[in-house]
C-alpha cells in the first residue's frame, strides 16, 4: 500500500495577518523506483496563483530588471549537496558575481534543496518560500537547485511560478547563464527548467567557495548508488554508482591542501564501494586510496 507523507509550510502576506496553507503530499508505492508524487496540494498555485502572488507582493506585469552582482546560496542537505553548492559558487565567482552570506543582501538567491526525508522536503519548501518573499524588496530572482530540483523539476516549476529557474545536477555548470537570463527578462514568466541526466560526469571540484570550516573540506570520491533498497529513492536522482578516478581524487586533495585544508572528509553515497567498478584494469580500492592520501 502507498505510504502518505505530508508536510506543511506557511507563507504570510505583507501585513503578516493572512496565511496561505501549503501541503506537500508524496506517495511512494513499494520501491524507490516506483513512486507517484503530486504537488497539487503543495501550493495550488494554478488555482490560486493570484492569491499567492498577491500574498508575496508580486505582480505579473512588473519585473525587476538590472544587472545582478550579488549571489547568496541557502545550503541544505548532505555533504554531497555541500560540495555541489561550493563548486557552483566557485563557478559563479569566476564569472564575476559577488558571493554574499545573507539572502536579503543578494540580487539572486539559490536554494540548494534536499529531498531525502519528509523533514528535509519541508525545510526546502520553506526556504524557497522565504527566498521568494525577498522578491518584494531586494531579490531579482530565485533559483531552485539540489535533489528536489532534480527529482521534482517540472512539478516545482508548475506549482511555484514565482521561482525563476529550476536547475538539475547536469546543468550546474550553466547556472551563470541562467542567472543572467533571469535578471534581464522582462515581465512575468514561468520558471525555466534545466535538469539533464542523473549520471553526471565528474569534473574538477577544488575551485570552490567553501562554506564549511576553512580547515576542513569534503572530498567526493564517488557518486550514485547501485543498491535497490526499498526505503531509499536516492538512485533515482543521483544515478548509478561510479567512482571518481584515483588521479582526479589525488589532484583535488593536493589543491585543497594548498588552500590551507588540514582535514579531508571522503564522501559518497557508498564510500566503501570506491574502485570496485574499475575492474581488472585498476585494482586499487579504498584502502590503497587512503594510504595514498595519508602519505
Amino acid at each position: 500500500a502507498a505510504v502518505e507523507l505530508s508536510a506543511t509550510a506557511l507563507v504570510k502576506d505583507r501585513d503578516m495577518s493572512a496565511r496561505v496553507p501549503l501541503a506537500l503530499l508524496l506517495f511512494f508505492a513499494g520501491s524507490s523506483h516506483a513512486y507517484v508524487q503530486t504537488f497539487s496540494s503543495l501550493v495550488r498555485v494554478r488555482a490560486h496563483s493570484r492569491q499567492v502572488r498577491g500574498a508575496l507582493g508580486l505582480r505579473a506585469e512588473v519585473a525587476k530588471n538590472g544587472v545582478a552582482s550579488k549571489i547568496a546560496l541557502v545550503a541544505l542537505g548532505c555533504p554531497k549537496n555541500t560540495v555541489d553548492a561550493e563548486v557552483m559558487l566557485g563557478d559563479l565567482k569566476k564569472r564575476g558575481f559577488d558571493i554574499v552570506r545573507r539572502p536579503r543582501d543578494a540580487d539572486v538567491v539559490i536554494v540548494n534543496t534536499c529531498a531525502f526525508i519528509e523533514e528535509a522536503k519541508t525545510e526546502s519548501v520553506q526556504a524557497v518560500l522565504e527566498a521568494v518573499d525577498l522578491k518584494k524588496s531586494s531579490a531579482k530572482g530565485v533559483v531552485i537547485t539540489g535533489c528536489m530540483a532534480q527529482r521534482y523539476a517540472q512539478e516545482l516549476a508548475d506549482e511555484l511560478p514565482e521561482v525563476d529557474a529550476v536547475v538539475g545536477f547536469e546543468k550546474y555548470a550553466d547556472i551563470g547563464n541562467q542567472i543572467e537570463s533571469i535578471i534581464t527578462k522582462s515581465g512575468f514568466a514561468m520558471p525555466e527548467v534545466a535538469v539533464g541526466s542523473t549520471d553526471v560526469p565528474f569534473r574538477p571540484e577544488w575551485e570552490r567557495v567553501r562554506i564549511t570550516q576553512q580547515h576542513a573540506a569534503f572530498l567526493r570520491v564517488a557518486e550514485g548508488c547501485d543498491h535497490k533498497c526499498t526505503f531509499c529513492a536516492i538512485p533515482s536522482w543521483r544515478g548509478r554508482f561510479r567512482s571518481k578516478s584515483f588521479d582526479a581524487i589525488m589532484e583535488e586533495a593536493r589543491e585543497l591542501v594548498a588552500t590551507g585544508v588540514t582535514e579531508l572528509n571522503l564522501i559518497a553515497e557508498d564510500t566503501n564501494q570506491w574502485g570496485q567498478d574499475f575492474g581488472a584494469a585498476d585494482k586499487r580500492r579504498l584502502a590503497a586510496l587512503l594510504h595514498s592520501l595519508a602519505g
Side-chain angles (χ1 to χ4, degrees), residues 7-14 16 18-24 39 41-45 48-49 51-58 74 76 103-104 109-113 120-139 141-145 148 155-165:
T8 59
L10 297 172
V11 58
K12 301 179 181 179
D13 70 358
R14 281 183 181 274
M16 307 296 282
R19 294 187 175 189
V20 181
L22 309 174
L24 173 58
F39 274 70
S41 298
L42 172 60
V43 285
R44 302 184 186 276
V45 171
H48 304 291
S49 59
Q51 178 186 11
V52 174
R53 281 198 289 272
L56 296 177
L58 302 177
V74 180
L76 303 171
R104 67 175 178 267
V109 180
I110 302 169
V111 182
N112 202 34
T113 60
K121 299 184 189 86
T122 304
E123 184 182 21
S124 294
V125 170
Q126 290 174 333
V128 170
L129 293 172
E130 289 171 6
V132 166
D133 195 49
L134 291 173
K135 293 176 77 173
K136 293 186 297 185
S137 55
S138 56
V142 174
V143 179
I144 304 177
T145 60
M148 283 194 79
E155 292 89 342
L156 288 167
D158 290 343
E159 304 293 355
L160 288 170
E162 294 79 16
V163 168
D164 297 275

Side-chain angles (χ1 to χ4, degrees), residues 45-242:
V45 171
R46 284 181 175 173
H48 304 291
S49 59
R50 290 182 181 177
Q51 178 186 11
V52 174
R53 281 198 289 272
L56 296 177
L58 302 177
R59 295 294 182 269
E61 67 273 15
V62 177
K64 291 188 176 182
N65 294 323
V67 178
S69 61
K70 295 178 289 185
I71 307 292
L73 186 144
V74 180
L76 303 171
C78 66
K80 293 175 293 297
N81 243 20
T82 299
V83 171
D84 288 339
E86 292 179 338
V87 174
M88 196 186 311
L89 290 175
D91 288 344
L92 292 170
K93 186 175 181 179
K94 285 186 291 184
R95 199 180 179 103
F97 292 101
D98 294 326
I99 310 303
V100 298
R101 295 181 62 86
R102 299 183 303 183
R104 67 175 178 267
D105 296 332
D107 296 305
V108 175
V109 180
I110 302 169
V111 182
N112 202 34
T113 60
C114 178
F116 186 48
I117 59 175
E118 179 184 2
E119 289 80 4
K121 299 184 189 86
T122 304
E123 184 182 21
S124 294
V125 170
Q126 290 174 333
V128 170
L129 293 172
E130 289 171 6
V132 166
D133 195 49
L134 291 173
K135 293 176 77 173
K136 293 186 297 185
S137 55
S138 56
K140 297 179 178 71
V142 174
V143 179
I144 304 177
T145 60
C147 293
M148 283 194 79
Q150 184 72 28
R151 190 178 185 187
Y152 302 117
Q154 196 57 54
E155 292 89 342
L156 288 167
D158 290 343
E159 304 293 355
L160 288 170
E162 294 79 16
V163 168
D164 297 275
V166 182
V167 182
F169 306 139
E170 190 177 23
K171 303 300 182 180
Y172 282 176
D174 298 326
I175 200 166
N177 292 328
Q178 291 278 353
I179 290 173
E180 290 180 359
S181 174
I182 288 168
I183 55 137
T184 56
K185 71 182 181 184
S186 178
F188 178 80
M190 291 296 287
E192 296 183 16
V193 176
V195 177
S197 170
T198 56
D199 295 332
V200 182
F202 289 113
R203 53 164 294 186
E205 294 183 324
W206 57 269
E207 289 187 291
R208 328 175 184 172
V209 173
R210 284 194 287 117
I211 58 179
T212 58
Q213 293 179 323
Q214 293 304 293
H215 75 279
F218 294 121
L219 178 57
R220 190 192 331 246
V221 299
E223 187 65 279
C225 184
D226 288 338
H227 298 300
K228 308 297 182 184
C229 304
T230 58
F231 61 83
C232 179
I234 285 177
S236 66
W237 70 83
R238 281 287 181 179
R240 61 181 178 80
F241 179 84
R242 55 231 185 254

